[in-house]
Amino acid sequence: MLNEELLSVWLQLTNVIDNHRLADGMPFNEALVCGLLAGGCQTASDLCAETRILKSQMTAILRSLETKGIIARQRARQDKRRIELRLLPEGYARYAEGHRQALALVDRLIGRLGEEKIRTLLPLLRQTVEIFDQIQQEE
């Protein structure tokens, strides 16, 4: 059945991506959060909304990143009730190296599949993400 086949491939892909460390000693979700923080300060709530990670899981991820000296928390200048998160220089360096490694891996994938197939795949993947977002919002 098509739904079983799609689910199986989807789970295999997420497992491969999740188990591949995008940065030394940094699990996938930590690298994901660092990527979002590399764009500037954000709150834990912003990160939860962007990643769809549960608040309890995000708390554990942030605690781990803070313990490793990758991120810091600080009160917002304009609203002292708001806690913002930012990458520390060491954290940014680790993230940047991991990002470089991830891009090298993606380049290898492009090399094996070919640019034409990747260009065909990208719109389908974007549409898949949009549809999943719509389905989740409907629930």
Side-chain angles (χ1 to χ4, degrees):
M1 294 188 341
L2 186 59
N3 61 353
E4 287 287 349
E5 188 176 353
L6 179 59
L7 179 60
S8 176
V9 170
W10 175 22
L11 293 173
Q12 290 172 27
L13 180 61
T14 56
N15 186 47
V16 166
I17 291 171
D18 194 37
N19 286 330
H20 179 77
R21 299 289 192 224
L22 297 179
D24 290 336
M26 191 178 292
F28 178 80
N29 283 339
E30 289 184 10
L32 178 64
V33 167
C34 287
L36 292 170
L37 292 177
C41 292
Q42 295 191 13
T43 66
S45 295
D46 295 336
L47 293 170
C48 287
E50 184 71 26
T51 61
R52 296 171 193 82
I53 294 174
L54 296 174
K55 186 177 179 181
S56 59
Q57 292 172 309
M58 183 60 71
T59 299
I61 292 166
L62 296 175
R63 187 178 310 118
S64 174
L65 290 170
E66 198 170 23
T67 300
K68 293 175 184 176
I70 293 173
I71 66 166
R73 300 170 197 253
Q74 64 187 35
R75 294 218 177 263
R77 291 185 180 131
Q78 296 170 346
D79 183 353
K80 297 297 181 190
R81 298 169 295 171
R82 184 177 151 108
I83 304 294
E84 295 179 331
L85 305 160
R86 66 180 174 84
L87 277 177
L88 295 171
E90 165 72 17
Y92 185 80
R94 285 181 64 184
Y95 166 74
E97 175 59 22
H99 187 73
R100 185 196 62 72
Q101 291 171 6
L103 286 177
L105 181 65
V106 170
D107 285 342
R108 290 173 60 194
L109 177 66
I110 293 169
R112 291 188 184 183
L113 274 178
E115 285 189 30
E116 185 176 331
K117 286 182 180 177
I118 295 294
R119 291 190 194 287
T120 301
L121 179 62
L122 285 173
L124 291 171
L125 289 174
R126 285 187 186 105
Q127 185 178 13
T128 301
V129 169
E130 288 174 17
I131 291 170
F132 269 123
D133 279 344
Q134 292 169 1
I135 290 169
Q136 287 181 332
Q137 290 174 4
E138 291 168 2
E139 292 178 351

